[in-house]
């Protein structure tokens, strides 16, 4: 009986190819969009983390109540005390950022890595290696030979997947390391997802300054310990450490966060909003198709009346229509699955770096099950209304109607009007949401960044391994600036430790000479920007008062500094900071003071929506850092100067690794990538909903 109805449904739909094609394409668009978004939701939110028993993994952070920093990096001595005193965790490990360089035929390539305690892979994450072994306690001893574990992708890219590399020595930043293992494909260290090479931590944690905070901690809960118990225990431990070391731990507690929540970050809510929006698109598609099928059923009323007159039961007619709608639903689902493959690629192309865990996004079994469920649900939904209507026609009226041009009952009109109202309402809601997103994004990109981005480009390099002392670093930077400045299109060039929108910064506390010592954890704090003369004019950052640095501000000259307006307002309210003196804790030697010689305008440093924060500019010659960014302003296309800087760096020293090389406009655009992505995707959904609603209304009328 079922197969007979199925054959009849297929033959009937084949006789109406135009209607069938419209319905299949409409459902395909709705199902495909939902499948594409759900595949991202599945890979990012629903797929378990690829570690042993991932639900027991947490990250542990310092929570500084003074600076409202809930996920602050951890001081090494504090971490050592946590290891000694905590009973809630089965294992605990720490990591910090590390970068190096590996030389090849085309010069040095930058490597992003992490230094990890030996427990990280074996006891905490519980991930086996692809080749070789993991770190052991012996690898973490101070006198141990240097060892590394390579990421799978790095091993394939730089070493061609050579299995004999395990046990061999590789040179990273001029130092030899024995390769003891290779991690599994797609492995990511959750607190440093970009790291692709790892070495063990071999120094004494307690020997570090307790005021230095640079560790990221992952821990594994004991089987019988709940998350809240661990939070209470860590808060108690930190309270004891605050009493023992008030100068470093005043107003500092801890924050224990499930690892999955940390990895996913802020995208969870946004993804569910997109899933809801695309669900509305499917709702409009269903209303469209239901309206078309209702119109088709109205035309077939005489047929149904005749079949009832000769003995067909209403249930049989309803089943026939439901089977027809299911056939359409399955065909639409198949078309939607094809669209979903393209849709996933489009989503990832539109939003590179927007989503975490994109290596887990795929059309897998969970997504196929979702598509199957949506397909059958859609088929049932669009078929119920025509089925209910057609199983109770007015028999005499239908027989009198005389065929396809027969009258349409009032309830049919009411149902179709309701469907039209639903389509218009949902489309307007999506259009309104998209409009608000576009308006917010327009305001965001219109924000004043504090400098002129047009014509600017930057390249960040690491010179510490090649030039270990300050004098050679200064000489290298001077030579590079001179070479780049020779080119006729370069209007000005400068160097700086930190450049806005490059996601690289160094912060430091400082003392204001002549003021009483502040309370613990209340010291003035600012971002450190060590720059060469001409940096402000190259960036076109206004000097509000005072003067720029000079070549004479070298290591043997009196210390000088320039502050920004935010620092002046926060730390010298109602005072004139020009001429006052400061001392950088942990940086300047005892007795060395810096005179403030100028006040610069504020700049937005990280993102367009974050307000400027205090900044402290220092002469590069007085603080020659191992990492430096070259900034050029050109009269034409700044992308040409990116290539120019690459060439000059390679020509001057091919073993100096290049980090970031981009125009400032590109970096600013990257900082707003998430907002742009959500605006574009929601706009696409709103446009699709509007087109579907318009087509549906036109077809109904």
């Amino acid at each position: 009986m079922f197969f007979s109805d199925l054959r009849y449904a297929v033959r009937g739909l084949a006789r109406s190819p135009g209607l069938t094609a419209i319905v299949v394409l409409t459902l395909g668009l709705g199902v495909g969009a939902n499948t594409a978004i759900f595949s991202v939701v599945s890979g990012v939110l629903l797929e378990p983390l690829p570690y042993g028993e991932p639900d027991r993994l947490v990250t542990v952070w310092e929570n500084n109540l003074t600076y409202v920093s809930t996920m602050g990096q951890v001081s090494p001595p504090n971490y050592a005390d946590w290891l000694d005193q905590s009973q809630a965790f089965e294992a605990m490990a720490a990591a910090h950022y590390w970068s190096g360089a590996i030389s090849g035929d085309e010069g040095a390539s930058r490597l992003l890595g992490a230094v990890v305690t030996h427990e990280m892979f074996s006891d905490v994450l519980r991930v086996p290696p692809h080749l070789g072994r993991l770190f052991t306690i012996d690898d973490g001893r101070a006198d141990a030979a240097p060892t590394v574990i390579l990421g799978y992708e790095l091993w394939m890219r730089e070493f061609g997947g050579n299995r004999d590399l395990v046990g061999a020595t590789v040179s990273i930043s001029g130092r030899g390391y024995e390769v003891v293992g290779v991690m599994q494909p797609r492995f990511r260290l959750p607190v440093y997802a970009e790291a692709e090479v790892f070495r063990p931590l071999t120094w004494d944690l307690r020997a570090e300054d307790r005021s230095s905070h640079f560790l990221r901690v992952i821990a594994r809960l004991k089987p019988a310990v709940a998350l809240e118990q661990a939070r209470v225990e860590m808060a108690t431990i930190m309270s004891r450490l605050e009493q023992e070391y008030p100068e470093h731990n005043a107003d500092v507690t801890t924050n224990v966060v499930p690892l999955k929540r940390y990895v996913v970050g802020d995208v969870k809510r946004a993804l569910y909003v997109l899933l809801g929006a695309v669900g509305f698109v499917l709702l409009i598609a269903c209303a469209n198709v239901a309206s078309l099928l209702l119109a088709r059923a109205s035309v077939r009323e005489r047929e149904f009346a005749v079949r009832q007159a000769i003995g067909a039961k209403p249930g049989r007619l309803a089943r026939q229509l439901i089977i027809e709608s299911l056939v359409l639903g399955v065909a639409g689902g198949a078309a939607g699955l094809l669209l979903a493959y393209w849709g996933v690629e489009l989503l990832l192309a539109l939003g590179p770096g927007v989503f975490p865990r994109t290596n887990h996004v795929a059309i897998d079994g969970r997504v196929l099950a979702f598509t199957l469920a949506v397909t059958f649900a859609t088929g049932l939904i669009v078929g119920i209304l025509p089925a209910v209507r057609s199983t109770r026609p007015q028999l005499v009226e239908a027989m009198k109607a005389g065929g396809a041009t027969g009258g349409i009952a009032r309830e049919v009109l009411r149902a179709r009007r309701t469907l039209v109202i639903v389509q218009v309402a949902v489309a307007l809601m999506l259009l309104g949401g998209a409009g608000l997103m576009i308006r917010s994004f327009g305001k965001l990109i219109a924000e004043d960044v504090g400098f002129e981005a047009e014509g600017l480009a930057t390249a960040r390099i690491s010179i510490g391994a090649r030039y270990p002392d300050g004098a050679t670093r200064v000489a290298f930077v001077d030579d590079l600036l001179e070479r780049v400045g020779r080119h006729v299109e370069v209007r000005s060039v400068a160097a700086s430790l930190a450049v806005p929108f490059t996601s690289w910064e160094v912060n430091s506390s400082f003392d204001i000479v002549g003021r009483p010592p502040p309370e613990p954890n209340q010291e003035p704090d600012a971002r450190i920007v060590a720059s060469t003369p001409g940096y402000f004019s190259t960036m076109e950052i206004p000097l509000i008062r005072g003067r720029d640095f000079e070549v004479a501000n070298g290591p043997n000259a009196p210390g000088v500094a320039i502050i920004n307006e935010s620092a002046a307002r926060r730390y010298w309210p109602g005072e004139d900071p020009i001429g006052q003196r400061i001392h950088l804790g942990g940086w300047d030697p005892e007795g060395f003071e810096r005179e403030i010689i100028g006040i610069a305008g504020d700049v937005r440093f990280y993102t367009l929506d974050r307000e400027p924060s205090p900044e402290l500019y220092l002469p590069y010659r007085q603080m020659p850092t191992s990492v430096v960014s070259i900034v050029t302003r050109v009269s034409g296309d700044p992308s040409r100067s990116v290539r120019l800087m690459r060439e000059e760096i390679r020509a001057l020293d091919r073993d100096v690794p290049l980090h970031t090389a981009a125009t400032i406009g590109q970096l600013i655009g990257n900082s707003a990538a998430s907002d742009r992505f959500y605006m574009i995707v929601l706009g696409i959904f709103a446009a699709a909903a509007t087109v579907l609603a318009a087509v549906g209304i036109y077809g109904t009328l």
Side-chain angles (χ1 to χ4, degrees), residues 392-412:
R392 50 184 183 86
Q394 301 298 323
L395 188 60
V396 175
E397 293 180 5
M399 295 290 288
K400 287 180 179 179
T405 59
I408 301 175
R410 290 181 181 177
E411 58 265 31
V412 175

Side-chain angles (χ1 to χ4, degrees), residues 100-112 148 150-163 165 169-173 179 182 196-197 650 654 657-658:
I102 185 168
S103 297
D105 295 337
E106 299 181 359
S109 300
R110 180 198 182 201
L111 295 181
L112 291 176
V148 291
L150 304 179
Y152 182 88
E153 289 75 16
L154 172 66
W155 175 60
M156 293 295 294
R157 183 180 71 246
E158 297 290 341
F159 303 102
N162 181 10
R163 302 178 71 89
L165 192 67
T169 299
V170 297
S171 177
I172 300 176
S173 298
V179 178
V182 176
E196 52 184 0
V197 59
R650 293 286 184 261
R654 65 191 305 275
L658 181 66

Side-chain angles (χ1 to χ4, degrees), residues 239-259:
S239 178
R240 287 199 296 265
L241 294 179
E242 180 180 8
Q243 294 175 5
E244 293 179 33
Y245 309 100
E247 68 277 16
H248 300 298
N249 290 327
D251 294 326
V252 177
T253 182
T254 57
N255 187 18
V256 183
V257 181
L259 184 61

Side-chain angles (χ1 to χ4, degrees), residues 11 32 59 74 101 189 262 294 302 314 328 351 365 406 474 528 556 573 583:
R11 287 198 303 269
T59 55
V74 181
L189 183 64
Y262 167 77
L294 191 60
R302 188 170 185 273
L328 289 171
V474 169
I528 301 299
N556 299 320
H583 175 267

Side-chain angles (χ1 to χ4, degrees), residues 5 12 58 79 85 121 208 225 231 237 294 313 330 373 383 397 507 580 603 694:
D5 288 341
V58 297
Y79 169 69
Q85 300 180 35
F121 301 139
E208 289 292 316
V225 174
R231 286 173 171 165
I237 293 173
L294 191 60
K313 295 185 185 236
V330 170
E397 293 180 5
N507 286 275
Q580 298 208 34
V603 300

